[in-house]
Amino acid sequence: MQKTESKYYLQALEEYNELCKEDEDAWDSRIDKTGCYVENMALQLCHAETNDWRQCLGEMAQFRECWQNKGNRDRVSTVDRK
C-alpha cells in the first residue's frame, strides 16, 4: 500500500526539517521520540485549518499506522479509572 501524502503531511515534513536545524523544546523532543512527529503535525495542521476531525481521516489513519508500526502502543500504558 502506497501512502498518499496530503498537503498537511508535506507542510509538516517541511516544518520538521526546519525544526531539526533548531534546538528542540521538551514537548517536540517527546513527540519526535515516538517516530511519528510528521504524522502528528500533519494531523494537527489539518484540524487547525478545517476545525473538523472528520476532514482529517487520512491524516488520522497515517498517524495511527505510524504509531502502531513504531511500537508506541506497547510503550504507553493506560490506566483504568475507577
Side-chain angles (χ1 to χ4, degrees):
M1 179 174 87
Q2 185 174 357
K3 178 168 50 172
T4 304
E5 295 177 345
S6 70
K7 72 176 188 175
Y8 304 110
Y9 183 89
L10 296 174
Q11 183 181 351
L13 184 58
E14 185 178 314
E15 288 186 23
Y16 178 71
N17 289 331
E18 287 298 316
L19 180 71
C20 289
K21 297 175 187 175
E22 302 170 3
D23 291 333
E24 284 185 323
D25 66 14
W27 175 255
D28 286 334
S29 179
R30 289 178 62 191
I31 298 298
D32 192 24
K33 288 177 184 174
T34 68
C36 300
Y37 187 94
V38 175
E39 291 79 2
N40 178 65
M41 178 62 72
L43 181 55
Q44 289 183 47
L45 290 169
C46 178
H47 183 258
E49 184 172 301
T50 65
N51 203 27
D52 183 358
W53 287 110
R54 295 169 294 182
Q55 294 184 37
C56 305
L57 296 178
E59 288 78 14
M60 193 176 298
Q62 285 182 336
F63 177 75
R64 184 179 303 118
E65 181 180 345
C66 180
W67 190 261
Q68 291 173 347
N69 290 341
K70 300 290 183 179
N72 290 306
R73 291 184 79 183
D74 297 332
R75 93 186 176 107
V76 178
S77 62
T78 59
V79 177
D80 291 332
R81 296 180 185 228
K82 295 181 182 194

